[in-house]
Amino acid sequence: MKSPYDVIRRPLITEKANLDKERRNAYHFEVPVTVDRQEVKEAIERVFAVKVEDVRTITVRGKMKRMGRFFGRRPGWKKAIVTLREGDKIDLFEGM
């Protein structure tokens, strides 16, 4: 079994993520492409001691980039949007 810290790579702190946090009590995280919703749910509940209601995942494709005449692609990644039970919050995001 993977460690919960291997499943959660980093929180995503963007304007859209902050609006989701305020309106729906949902937090955004970057996760490895190979994990599924259940692994994300268990990792969030173990690390932050909160109750997760819903997990939605999105696979983000890497962008095409160009350096001179050569083209390349940035790597793809996966985003997890985690909705918490009403009354729960993750203190890591407070004060931002």
Side-chain angles (χ1 to χ4, degrees):
M1 183 176 158
K2 296 179 183 174
S3 164
Y5 297 101
D6 293 334
V7 174
I8 304 168
R9 285 198 177 149
R10 67 185 178 107
L12 298 174
I13 302 170
T14 61
E15 288 182 25
K16 188 173 183 178
N18 285 334
L19 285 175
D20 254 0
K21 179 183 68 149
E22 293 169 5
R23 292 182 182 164
R24 299 185 314 115
N25 199 23
Y27 297 85
H28 296 212
F29 295 93
E30 181 182 340
V31 296
V33 178
T34 57
V35 300
D36 59 5
R37 296 169 193 238
Q38 189 62 34
E39 289 175 320
V40 172
K41 178 180 178 179
E42 292 170 3
I44 296 293
E45 287 179 348
R46 285 182 61 193
V47 171
F48 297 109
V50 294
K51 183 68 176 163
V52 174
E53 282 189 354
D54 186 37
V55 176
R56 292 184 292 158
T57 58
I58 302 158
T59 302
V60 182
R61 292 180 48 190
K63 293 181 180 180
M64 288 293 294
K65 288 296 181 181
R66 181 177 154 184
M67 295 190 90
R69 63 182 182 151
F70 301 104
F71 288 90
R73 179 178 288 277
R74 286 189 178 166
W77 54 286
K78 193 175 214 179
K79 181 191 327 188
I81 302 172
V82 179
T83 305
L84 302 181
R85 179 178 57 191
E86 191 171 330
D88 283 349
K89 63 181 180 179
I90 296 177
D91 294 329
L92 173 71
F93 292 95
E94 300 307 317
M96 291 187 175

